[in-house]
Amino acid sequence: ATIRYELTQPATVRVDLVDEEGRMVRQLDGGVQEAGMQTMTWDGRDDTGELIPSGIYRYVIMATPDIRHSTLDIRNSTFR
């Protein structure tokens, strides 16, 4: 699955994927990314490397802005 999002400024990015009960199944570390459209790919595996069952999974994008800036706006986030 590909997760697409837009950063309005450079930021350190992490994506948390959770199952329908709210349990964390995977954490993706995107590192420092530049402003603009970005993508991260999820291989359908949990943090132990096991394939997870079919279902509905939510994601949360955590973006910590560059220390020189005080606000961060993430736009156009999609999950496919």
Side-chain angles (χ1 to χ4, degrees), residues 63-78:
T64 305
D66 184 298
I67 198 159
R68 293 170 290 173
H69 303 281
S70 60
T71 61
L72 177 66
D73 183 13
I74 299 174
R75 300 180 185 180
N76 302 325
S77 174
T78 61

Side-chain angles (χ1 to χ4, degrees), residues 14-47:
R14 184 182 88 208
V15 176
D16 295 342
L17 293 134
V18 297
D19 66 14
E20 291 180 283
E21 278 111 38
R23 293 180 297 231
M24 173 90 68
V25 295
R26 184 77 184 264
Q27 191 173 82
L28 304 174
D29 180 12
V32 177
Q33 298 179 355
E34 295 299 318
M37 292 303 298
Q38 302 291 340
T39 62
M40 290 182 81
T41 302
W42 177 40
D43 60 5
R45 296 180 184 272
D46 64 16
D47 276 335

